[in-house]
């Protein structure tokens, strides 16, 4: 049996096919309902599920925009602190790993050595949100290996020389920046040496 011409036109495009399928679904829905039933979208589970999915997607998009705005604002704040020369006196907050990534993105991928050193020191010294072991564990998946290796090296050096001032370990930042693999290797060597000595 041939479809009438308006249905043939609809069948030629994806949107038209979707309309046809929806029309057929509604016809079947009404055919199964008691005689005289008027279609009510509020009672249509399929429509309500679609509306709920659209609302959830819109809420997710709004949350993503708010999060991006929060990250951008924190990146602006960190940039201002570095320009004032007070970044080192600032404790990191939850989400600063994303702010670091935003600063790096703004710089065209250039590594932000001062921000990386700041985060490594805070991670090694358990400052700010890194006081929480869960935050330190999460940092492993949020920070790049050179920052993590730098933090590990600082941690091992601090164990080797208890009470050492972090300012005295500035050479670790230079090593982590210029030779990140060497920093990681040295941290691993010190860790093995300290575990063997204990």
């Amino acid at each position: 049996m041939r479809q009438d011409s308006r249905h043939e036109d609809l069948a030629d495009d994806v949107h038209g096919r979707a309309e046809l399928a929806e029309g057929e679904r509604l016809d079947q829905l009404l055919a199964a309902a008691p005689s005289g039933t008027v279609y009510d979208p509020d009672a249509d589970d399929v429509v309500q599920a679609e509306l709920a999915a659209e609302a959830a997607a819109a809420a997710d998009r709004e949350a993503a925009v708010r999060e991006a705005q929060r990250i951008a604002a924190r990146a602006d704040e960190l940039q201002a602190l570095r320009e004032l020369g007070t970044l080192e006196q600032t404790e990191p907050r939850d989400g600063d790993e994303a702010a670091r990534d935003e600063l790096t993105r703004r710089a065209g991928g250039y590594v932000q050595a001062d921000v990386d050193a700041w985060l490594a020191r805070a991670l090694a010294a358990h400052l700010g949100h890194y006081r929480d072991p869960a935050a330190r564990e999460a940092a492993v998946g949020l920070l790049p290996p050179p920052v993590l290796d730098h933090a590990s090296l600082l941690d091992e050096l601090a164990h080797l020389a208890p009470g050492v001032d972090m300012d005295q370990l500035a050479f670790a930042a230079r090593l982590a920046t210029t030779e990140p693999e060497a920093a990681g290797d040295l941290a691993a060597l010190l860790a093995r040496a300290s575990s063997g000595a204990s």
Side-chain angles (χ1 to χ4, degrees), residues 53-140:
E54 287 171 10
D60 288 346
R61 285 192 298 273
E62 287 176 22
V65 168
R66 282 195 305 273
E67 178 64 6
Q69 290 171 338
R70 186 192 68 76
I71 290 168
R74 180 58 171 167
D76 290 342
E77 185 180 349
L78 293 179
Q79 181 62 40
L81 290 168
R82 42 190 321 198
E83 288 168 5
L84 291 169
T86 57
L87 182 61
E88 286 297 332
Q89 286 78 54
T90 307
E91 290 198 347
R93 299 181 199 156
D94 184 33
D96 277 354
E97 299 87 358
R100 174 223 174 258
D101 292 344
E102 172 63 13
L103 287 169
T104 303
R105 185 194 65 75
R106 291 177 185 180
Y110 176 75
V111 172
Q112 309 291 290
D114 55 345
V115 176
D116 282 1
W118 168 67
L119 284 169
R121 288 176 63 163
L123 183 57
H126 301 178
L127 300 176
H129 72 297
Y130 292 132
R131 288 187 185 91
D132 181 358
R136 295 197 298 275
E137 188 175 327
V140 174

Side-chain angles (χ1 to χ4, degrees), residues 10-35:
L10 284 175
D12 287 339
D13 65 271
V14 174
H15 183 69
R17 285 194 295 275
E19 283 186 10
L20 274 177
E22 179 62 5
E24 289 173 8
R25 186 186 71 78
L26 293 178
D27 288 345
Q28 291 171 1
L29 191 68
L30 290 172
S35 179

